[in-house]
């Protein structure tokens, strides 16, 4: 499984990717963010979670430095991610850890077969 950000012909990068970038720019490549460490920009803990989501649920906005993946200088992209722990601080480095189930498949209102349940949480480096 990958965590794909999309780079567009104008040089911008978004996560998640979109069919068109800023000003209608075409996608030119994807960058797998799960291969990069990220810096915690801010974080919070939710104790009122949806059905099937673990409680407490630690969340963060993180910034990936993907400069090495692009030719034209300093590039970064931000994402909202789940954390493995609430023991983080702003500025900490985190990395992706694959999880088979980010939430309980039997909980919620959708049919379990209609969704993916796997993905990434991020742990301190």
């Amino acid at each position: 499984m990958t965590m794909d950000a999309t780079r567009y012909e104008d040089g911008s990068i978004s996560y998640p990717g979109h069919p068109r970038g800023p000003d209608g720019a075409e996608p030119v490549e994807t960058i797998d963010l799960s291969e990069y460490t990220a810096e915690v920009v801010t974080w919070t803990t939710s104790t009122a979670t949806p059905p099937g989501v673990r409680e407490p649920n630690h969340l963060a906005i993180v910034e990936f430095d993907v400069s090495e993946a692009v030719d034209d200088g300093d590039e970064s992209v931000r994402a909202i991610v789940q954390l493995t722990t609430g023991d983080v601080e702003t500025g900490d480095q985190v990395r992706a850890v694959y999880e088979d189930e980010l939430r309980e498949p039997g909980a919620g209102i959708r049919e379990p077969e209609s969704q993916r349940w796997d993905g990434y949480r991020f742990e301190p480096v």
Side-chain angles (χ1 to χ4, degrees), residues 1-5 15 29-38 64-66 68-69 93-98 120-122 125:
M1 170 177 214
T2 59
M3 185 177 173
D4 289 336
Y15 177 80
E29 70 177 314
T30 58
I31 301 167
D32 183 1
L33 297 178
S34 69
E35 297 176 359
Y36 293 85
T37 58
F64 297 88
D65 179 356
V66 294
E68 68 185 48
Q93 295 293 308
V94 292
R95 68 173 168 223
V97 177
Y98 178 78
Y120 293 98
R121 285 197 178 100
F122 283 73
V125 173

